[in-house]
Amino acid sequence: MEHFDVAILGAGPACLSLAYDLKAAGKSVAVVEENLFGGTCPNAGCDPKKILFSAEQARSQVAQLIGKGFAKNSVPQVVWSDLMAYKKTYTDPVSKEQIAGFDASGIKHFHGHGQLISANEIAVTARLENTVDNDTQSMVEKKQCFTAEQIVLATGQRARLLDIPGQEYFLTSTDFLALEKLPAKMIFLGAGYISFELAAIANACGAEVTILHHNDTPLRGFDQDLAQHLVQELTKSGVTFVFNENIQSVTKNDGELLTVTTDKASYETNSVVCATGRIANVENLGLEELGIEASGRGITVDDHLKTSQKNIYAMGDCIAKKEPKMTPVASFEGRYLKQLLLGETTEKIKYPQVPTSVFTLPTLAQVGVSSSEAKKDPASYKVEWFDMSQWYNYFRTNDPVAFAKIIYNKDSGEIVGAATLNQKADEWINIMTLVINLGVKKEQLQNLIMAYPSVGSDLQYYY
């Protein structure tokens, strides 16, 4: 039976940040992937989503400058088929390129479902087409087994579907990002960041969009003052929000017309995207048999990313953690495990402050201490609100809104938290993340000269 130093279940960003470094250090490495090599982010997640978002950005920039350099009726229409074709030029090669990278580096890879047979043995089951005769094909299972000294679980997560009648008609975010044709009318279930982002794209590309949510709190976990402003801006752009509606069922009528029934009303649509959360891929991995604790939230690990089995670790979106389940966090965990497994550190994993964003127009982003946390401890924190809409950097592109909240430590005066709603928020939040994680002081900032005008040159005004 083939034996490896390290086996990784899941070939997403966390795996990629670990596998190549382990191989470069002389370790023998095996990778098991059940779906597409490269993982969700580049194949059907943040990367293709941002390509579609780029079209939304370009269209919005022109729309904002009508009468300020652009003529009326000059707002471009997004051609969905062309946009999706462009997206495919990025996503289609991803899996093949990752496999080619493994081959070139000498990393053994298996395509199929991986399951722990013991603390050191993995079975990989692949379903293959078998040609019986010239006209008939059937599926057969092929099983391979190998052993490894150390095993790392990086199986990611998937969309959680509401368990209601008609759930078979749901589209997921993965389905949305593969739509050949954009439906005329779309309903998005849930008011989390995935719903907001995909609904905003669909709206900008010409669909009639409605977001249904079971309570009155959109974007739970984000600054609610800014979240409510974002709802107002998306409403102006044509997105309809319906709050405090519990979904009861989905039924199919003539053709492709669907009816979504809530406890208060019914809504007709051409498609229903269920974006009510995500669930960790922990089923059928053999975890229970080995006493490894796991649930829909993820696999339980300690502060060294170790499970209850001393040689089995987990990382990425499949672990239960308070940190955001995002690609950069998964990659960070992969880099940490590389150091741990190579004996370069024995320290506990220590996460920096992690920024989170809702990529709509305008974009909502935050990092560090939140305003709600600060309000609970007024002796330690001060919160300031900035309306930046007339600052030159936002005036020049006629941005409709540009708000920021800055949270300061009262004793040191340092910025410890930040949140914003503006069209340059992705740049803005990364700069604030540097300021917060590095503890940049006012006098240090004043001794820097930034390119002007830019998000960076505005930094001095927050101190």
Side-chain angles (χ1 to χ4, degrees):
M1 189 180 295
E2 200 167 4
H3 182 77
F4 299 91
D5 293 321
V6 181
I8 306 170
L9 270 62
C15 165
L16 300 180
S17 66
L18 174 61
Y20 285 105
D21 284 346
L22 290 179
K23 185 63 181 177
K27 297 287 186 180
S28 57
V29 180
V31 174
V32 180
E33 174 56 54
E34 185 171 5
N35 195 359
L36 293 172
F37 284 83
T40 298
C41 179
N43 285 293
C46 36
D47 287 352
K49 175 196 70 182
K50 284 299 289 289
I51 290 175
L52 304 190
F53 177 63
S54 294
E56 181 186 352
Q57 284 180 302
R59 184 181 184 279
S60 176
Q61 284 293 304
V62 174
Q64 287 170 204
L65 293 172
I66 295 298
K68 297 175 174 62
F70 285 92
K72 291 181 179 179
N73 303 318
S74 62
V75 178
Q77 287 188 332
V78 178
V79 181
W80 182 262
S81 58
D82 291 349
L83 180 59
M84 293 301 285
Y86 180 53
K87 182 219 71 168
K88 287 182 178 181
T89 65
Y90 176 84
T91 56
D92 283 359
V94 167
S95 195
K96 291 180 180 178
E97 288 175 352
Q98 295 301 340
I99 291 171
F102 287 151
D103 287 337
S105 300
I107 296 171
K108 187 68 177 286
H109 52 86
F110 300 84
H111 197 187
H113 176 74
Q115 185 173 14
L116 302 177
I117 304 303
S118 70
N120 294 100
E121 185 178 350
I122 295 171
V124 181
T125 303
R127 298 194 72 206
L128 305 172
E129 285 188 357
N130 178 47
T131 302
V132 179
D133 53 43
N134 291 333
D135 300 316
T136 307
Q137 287 187 331
S138 64
M139 299 298 294
V140 296
E141 288 190 350
K142 178 184 177 183
K143 183 173 286 189
Q144 296 174 275
C145 294
F146 61 89
T147 57
E149 287 298 315
Q150 295 169 312
I151 297 172
V152 181
L153 306 172
T155 52
Q157 57 182 351
R158 66 185 186 279
R160 179 195 290 116
L161 300 181
L162 293 177
D163 186 13
I164 61 172
Q167 66 168 256
E168 65 269 22
Y169 301 123
F170 287 152
L171 301 180
T172 65
S173 57
T174 299
D175 297 323
F176 176 91
L177 293 171
L179 285 172
E180 294 292 338
K181 182 180 179 181
L182 184 67
K185 296 178 69 174
M186 303 189 73
I187 286 179
F188 292 80
L189 305 182
Y193 76 93
I194 294 176
S195 258
F196 269 64
E197 291 175 342
L198 301 187
I201 290 170
N203 174 66
C205 293
E208 182 182 324
V209 173
T210 300
I211 293 178
L212 299 178
H213 192 51
H214 67 96
N215 61 32
D216 59 0
T217 305
L219 298 171
R220 182 171 59 88
F222 284 87
D223 185 285
Q224 281 303 295
D225 290 332
L226 297 179
Q228 293 296 338
H229 272 288
L230 178 55
V231 169
Q232 293 172 20
E233 291 304 310
L234 292 182
T235 299
K236 291 177 187 176
S237 72
V239 177
T240 298
F241 288 87
V242 181
F243 294 109
N244 296 307
E245 286 275 42
N246 289 297
I247 313 305
Q248 303 295 326
S249 65
V250 178
T251 54
K252 190 168 186 177
N253 303 318
D254 295 335
E256 296 185 8
L257 193 64
L258 301 170
T259 300
V260 178
T261 303
T262 71
D263 52 2
K264 297 179 182 178
S266 294
Y267 304 84
E268 289 190 341
T269 185
N270 299 116
S271 67
V272 181
V273 179
C274 187
T276 53
R278 295 178 69 78
I279 186 170
N281 294 320
V282 297
E283 300 88 354
N284 303 316
L285 295 179
L287 303 182
E288 186 176 353
E289 292 79 0
L290 293 175
I292 297 174
E293 185 179 344
S295 67
R297 291 188 61 249
I299 299 166
T300 300
V301 294
D302 65 11
D303 47 21
H304 288 79
L305 300 184
K306 186 182 293 185
T307 70
S308 56
Q309 287 285 340
K310 64 179 182 180
N311 69 309
I312 299 179
Y313 301 80
M315 62 182 179
D317 290 356
C318 72
I319 66 175
K321 58 186 175 184
K322 67 178 185 300
E323 287 75 24
K325 293 191 175 186
M326 303 189 311
T327 295
V329 179
S331 298
F332 178 86
E333 291 162 352
R335 293 192 296 272
Y336 166 78
L337 274 182
K338 169 259 182 181
Q339 294 179 307
L340 190 71
L341 297 184
L342 293 179
E344 297 172 354
T345 186
T346 58
E347 296 293 321
K348 302 174 183 178
I349 189 169
K350 185 178 180 181
Y351 294 92
Q353 295 291 343
V354 180
T356 54
S357 300
V358 183
F359 286 104
T360 53
L361 290 175
T363 296
L364 173 59
Q366 63 186 37
V367 66
V369 176
S370 68
S371 60
S372 60
E373 291 174 306
K375 288 175 183 176
K376 294 175 184 176
D377 189 4
S380 301
Y381 301 111
K382 178 180 72 171
V383 180
E384 287 196 12
W385 173 278
F386 294 85
D387 182 348
M388 308 177 294
S389 57
Q390 292 306 304
W391 293 14
Y392 177 72
N393 199 36
Y394 303 94
F395 173 84
R396 67 184 177 85
T397 47
N398 196 35
D399 292 359
V401 296
F403 298 120
K405 279 187 181 181
I406 306 293
I407 294 88
Y408 305 86
N409 180 294
K410 281 189 173 180
D411 291 334
S412 67
E414 292 180 6
I415 295 174
V416 292
T420 189
L421 182 68
N422 79 75
Q423 298 209 8
K424 303 171 182 66
D426 50 352
E427 300 172 28
W428 190 96
I429 204 64
N430 280 335
I431 290 175
M432 299 309 296
T433 299
L434 283 172
V435 166
I436 291 168
N437 279 312
L438 298 179
V440 177
K441 300 182 184 299
K442 180 179 180 180
E443 55 270 22
Q444 292 175 305
L445 186 63
Q446 289 176 334
N447 286 325
L448 297 177
I449 299 175
M450 300 283 194
Y452 175 86
S454 67
V455 171
S457 65
D458 287 343
L459 264 179
Q460 59 184 312
Y461 304 128
Y462 300 116
Y463 282 92

